[in-house]
Amino acid sequence: GQNIDQPTEMTATEGAIVQINCTYQTSGFNGLFWYQQHAGEAPTFLSYNVLDGLEEKGRFSSFLSRSKGYSYLLLKELQMKDSASYLCAVLLNQAGTALIFGKGTTLSVSS
Amino acid sequence: DSGVTQTPKHLITATGQRVTLRCSPRSGDLSVYWYQQSLDQGLQFLIQYYNGEERAKGNILERFSAQQFPDLHSELNLSSLELGDSALYFCASSVGQTSGNTIYFGEGSWLTVV
């Protein structure tokens, strides 16, 4: 089976930095995605890592270590609007390109 | 707006009934994916179609079926509905089937089974 683990909930304050971890054990690996999802809305793409290392995109960065089956999403200068669920997803090596998601981490940002 | 269109947005139906959810992918996208999201299970991959053919299958129940038509829109059919089928059903699309393609989600169809 496929296993993707993330913390269920995290809290942080405005202006702070938060790191959301994701570990995975999957039958294949073709890249790791991070999505943001506000309650009741569609997930929106944040980042994609296929090689080890850090990808930086404005206030958001994502890191991948394939040998450790580990990724994290780093959010800097937190804003209230960053309160959302953050979904880690693995792209499997199958005939298709199905993304398998973790259960998500709900981040609450307070003032 | 991702460009992926789903209808209906909300649907309430009774147990034992059958419903059809419809999805139009982004212009130019050949792959369509269906996901189910419930509170306790997170986002579960159901099935993927690429250019009309089934490409990958996830945790899709036998009571559920899907297809992708020549115009690339897709339908997800849910039959013999149970209370536990109440969830948000997302459709997503991507350009192709090779790795690294970002998939874009529609706004979802809320299904409530009563």
Side-chain angles (χ1 to χ4, degrees):
Chain A
Q2 322 296 348
N3 202 36
I4 300 174
D5 287 319
Q6 310 176 231
T8 305
E9 294 179 339
M10 297 183 74
T11 59
T13 54
E14 268 188 306
I17 300 173
V18 71
Q19 177 174 312
I20 302 174
N21 295 324
C22 171
T23 57
Y24 62 89
Q25 289 177 306
T26 54
S27 57
F29 181 83
N30 223 4
L32 189 139
F33 288 72
W34 284 94
Y35 278 78
Q36 180 192 60
Q37 186 180 25
H38 287 96
E41 297 183 7
T44 54
F45 169 77
L46 288 178
S47 71
Y48 167 63
N49 295 67
V50 66
L51 299 175
D52 288 355
L54 189 68
E55 293 282 342
E56 296 188 80
K57 211 177 191 181
R59 294 190 299 116
F60 293 0
S61 304
S62 57
F63 171 83
L64 175 67
S65 169
R66 288 173 299 171
S67 61
K68 295 182 180 178
Y70 168 70
S71 174
Y72 68 72
L73 179 70
L74 193 70
L75 293 78
K76 302 175 187 174
E77 300 169 14
L78 281 173
Q79 303 173 11
M80 298 291 284
K81 67 177 183 179
D82 297 329
S83 294
S85 184
Y86 291 86
L87 311 177
C88 171
V90 171
L91 186 64
L92 298 182
N93 260 332
Q94 294 179 352
T97 54
L99 273 179
I100 306 301
F101 284 82
K103 291 191 176 182
T105 299
T106 300
L107 174 65
S108 299
V109 180
S110 59
S111 56
Chain B
D1 182 5
S2 67
V4 179
T5 305
Q6 290 187 246
T7 56
K9 291 196 179 345
H10 298 274
L11 189 58
I12 302 175
T13 190
T15 53
Q17 295 298 304
R18 172 190 167 94
V19 299
T20 297
L21 309 180
R22 182 189 167 100
C23 169
S24 294
R26 294 187 321 154
S27 176
D29 284 1
L30 299 179
S31 276
V32 170
Y33 312 78
W34 286 98
Y35 285 85
Q36 178 193 55
Q37 188 172 40
S38 55
L39 283 174
D40 57 343
Q41 289 296 320
L43 203 58
Q44 296 281 311
F45 169 66
L46 296 178
I47 197 163
Q48 178 205 358
Y49 281 83
Y50 174 76
N51 205 20
E53 294 191 2
E54 184 182 304
R55 263 293 174 254
K57 215 166 185 176
N59 301 320
I60 188 166
L61 299 172
E62 285 192 11
R63 300 184 285 109
F64 297 180
S65 64
Q67 53 184 328
Q68 186 179 29
F69 296 87
D71 68 353
L72 301 178
H73 91 271
S74 177
E75 292 181 356
L76 178 67
N77 300 296
L78 315 174
S79 61
S80 303
L81 284 167
E82 302 174 359
L83 295 177
D85 297 327
S86 295
L88 184 53
Y89 290 85
F90 284 108
C91 170
S93 72
S94 68
V95 170
Q97 58 174 339
T98 57
S99 63
N101 284 305
T102 303
I103 70 172
Y104 296 89
F105 285 83
E107 295 298 314
S109 292
W110 282 96
L111 173 65
T112 302
V113 182
V114 297

